[in-house]
Each structure stands twice: as structure tokens, then as C-alpha cells.
Amino acid sequence: MKIHPSLAQEEAPFVTDAEAKQLFDQIMALYPDPQPTLHAEDPFQILVAVMLSAQTTDVAVNAVTPKLLRLIRRLLTWLQRRLRRSLRSLAG
């Protein structure tokens, strides 16, 4: 597979590593103990919360996430049961 020439060329970084570290240090000086505002208990919940937070506020995400995760669990349980039944029917 050929790669388009514009994608194959490595571009100069927007900032240097030293500049990025300096910026990070300045942010950490302003916020020495940052705490997440999204509530999550595992990587999947973090993924869902972060995707939702791109569309709305963290407060709104935290309000809807528990209900959404319960719905997702119920749907997955239902899907697993249907899949098992379908696979059993293949066995005869």
C-alpha cells in the first residue's frame, strides 16, 4: 500500500520537548494537585465519560453516566443470552 507523500513526510513538531516540559511545569505550578471531575470506576467507564464530555459538561456527564452504564450492562446481558441461544440452535 502506498502512502500519500504528504503523510510520509515527518513535520517539525509544533513545540519542542523543552517547550512542552516548560508549559507542563507552569500548569502543574498553577494546579499542583489536579483531581478528575469525571466519575469512573474502570477504563470502560472512563472511555464512555470522556467521549460524552466532548459533547457537554462534566457535571452533565456525571449525572447521566450511571443510568447509561446500567443500560449498557442490561443490553450486553440481553445480547449474550441471545447469542448463546443462537449458538445452541446451531448445535442441533
Side-chain angles (χ1 to χ4, degrees), residues 15-25:
V15 296
T16 65
D17 289 348
E19 291 169 329
K21 181 172 179 354
Q22 182 182 14
L23 179 59
F24 178 79
D25 291 342

Side-chain angles (χ1 to χ4, degrees), residues 74-90:
R74 287 197 333 246
L75 287 170
L76 288 174
T77 300
W78 175 83
L79 182 60
Q80 287 172 339
R81 276 190 252 129
R82 291 289 305 256
L83 184 57
R84 282 188 203 114
R85 271 189 251 144
S86 295
L87 292 175
R88 276 195 298 256
S89 71
L90 293 174

Side-chain angles (χ1 to χ4, degrees), residues 21-59:
K21 181 172 179 354
Q22 182 182 14
L23 179 59
F24 178 79
D25 291 342
Q26 290 172 350
I27 292 170
M28 291 307 294
L30 289 171
Y31 305 98
D33 187 31
Q35 296 298 314
T37 55
L38 292 173
H39 300 237
E41 297 175 10
D42 59 46
F44 178 73
Q45 290 181 14
I46 292 169
L47 174 65
V48 170
V50 168
M51 289 190 311
L52 291 173
S53 72
Q55 305 302 317
T56 187
T57 66
D58 290 356
V59 171

Side-chain angles (χ1 to χ4, degrees), residues 39 45 60-73:
H39 300 237
Q45 290 181 14
V61 171
N62 289 333
V64 75
T65 301
K67 294 175 189 172
L68 180 62
L69 292 171
R70 280 194 299 276
L71 175 61
I72 290 170
R73 279 190 222 97

